[in-house]
C-alpha cells in the first residue's frame, strides 16, 4: 500500500470528525440561534408518528455536549453509529499497516438481531411515552 494511502486512511477520519465538531460548535449553533428553531420531522408533524430518524438532531446535539444518556434517550442510533464508525476506522487503520483485526462482527445473525431490536424500539417508542424523545 502506498504511503499516501496510509496517511489518508489514518488522518482523514480524525480531520472529518474535527470538521463536524467545529461545524456543530460554530456554524450550526449560530444558525439555530439566529433562526430560533430546529428542523421538524414532516412525518411527525403530519401524522404524530415518530419515524426512525426522529430525535436524531437532539441526540446529536446531546452527544456533542457530552450528555450520553440524553443522546441515547433521544435516538440510540447516533451513538451506535459513532461507535461503529470508530471501530471501522480502527480496523482500516490497522489494515493499512498490515495488521488484520476484526472488531465489527461480520455474521449476518448479529446484524439481523440488531436491526430487529432497532425496529422494535422504533415501534414501541410510539406507544410508550417514556421512550419518546
Amino acid at each position: 500500500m502506498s504511503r499516501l494511502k496510509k496517511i489518508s486512511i489514518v488522518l482523514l477520519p480524525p480531520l472529518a470528525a474535527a470538521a463536524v465538531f467545529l461545524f456543530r460548535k460554530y456554524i450550526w449553533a449560530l444558525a439555530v440561534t439566529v433562526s430560533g428553531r430546529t428542523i421538524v420531522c414532516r412525518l411527525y408533524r403530519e401524522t404524530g408518528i415518530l419515524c426512525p430518524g426522529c430525535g436524531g438532531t437532539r441526540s446529536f446535539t446531546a452527544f456533542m455536549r457530552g450528555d450520553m444518556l440524553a443522546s441515547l434517550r433521544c435516538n440510540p442510533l447516533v451513538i451506535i453509529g459513532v461507535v461503529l464508525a470508530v471501530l471501522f476506522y480502527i480496523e482500516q487503520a490497522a489494515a493499512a499497516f498490515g495488521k488484520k483485526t476484526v472488531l465489527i462482527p461480520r455474521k449476518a445473525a448479529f446484524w439481523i438481531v440488531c436491526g430487529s431490536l432497532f425496529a422494535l424500539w422504533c415501534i414501541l417508542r410510539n406507544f410508550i411515552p417514556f421512550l419518546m424523545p
Side-chain angles (χ1 to χ4, degrees):
M1 186 177 292
S2 71
R3 182 176 169 86
L4 180 62
K5 191 168 184 178
K6 285 182 184 180
I7 291 171
S8 65
I9 287 174
V10 173
L11 290 181
L12 283 180
L15 291 175
V20 167
F21 175 75
L22 292 173
F23 173 78
R24 163 60 184 100
K25 185 162 179 73
Y26 297 108
I27 309 292
W28 190 63
L30 179 65
V32 170
T33 304
V34 170
S35 68
R37 61 189 172 99
T38 58
I39 302 167
V40 177
C41 177
R42 186 175 191 146
L43 179 70
Y44 183 72
R45 184 180 58 199
E46 301 292 331
T47 65
I49 296 172
L50 296 169
C51 73
C54 279
T57 304
R58 287 182 294 263
S59 179
F60 182 73
T61 305
F63 179 76
M64 294 303 283
R65 281 193 320 254
D67 190 359
M68 298 305 157
L69 291 177
S71 180
L72 276 173
R73 187 175 182 284
C74 290
N75 195 336
L77 200 57
V78 171
I79 290 184
I80 292 169
V82 168
V83 168
L84 285 174
V86 167
L87 291 176
F88 182 73
Y89 167 69
I90 292 170
E91 281 184 1
Q92 295 304 311
F97 293 101
K99 304 244 186 211
K100 180 156 175 70
T101 58
V102 178
L103 299 175
I104 300 173
R106 303 291 198 257
K107 302 232 181 226
F110 173 78
W111 294 105
I112 291 170
V113 168
C114 288
S116 300
L117 288 174
F118 183 69
L120 181 66
W121 175 79
C122 288
I123 293 168
L124 287 179
R125 75 179 185 157
N126 283 297
F127 301 108
I128 301 173
F130 174 73
L131 296 176
M132 292 184 103

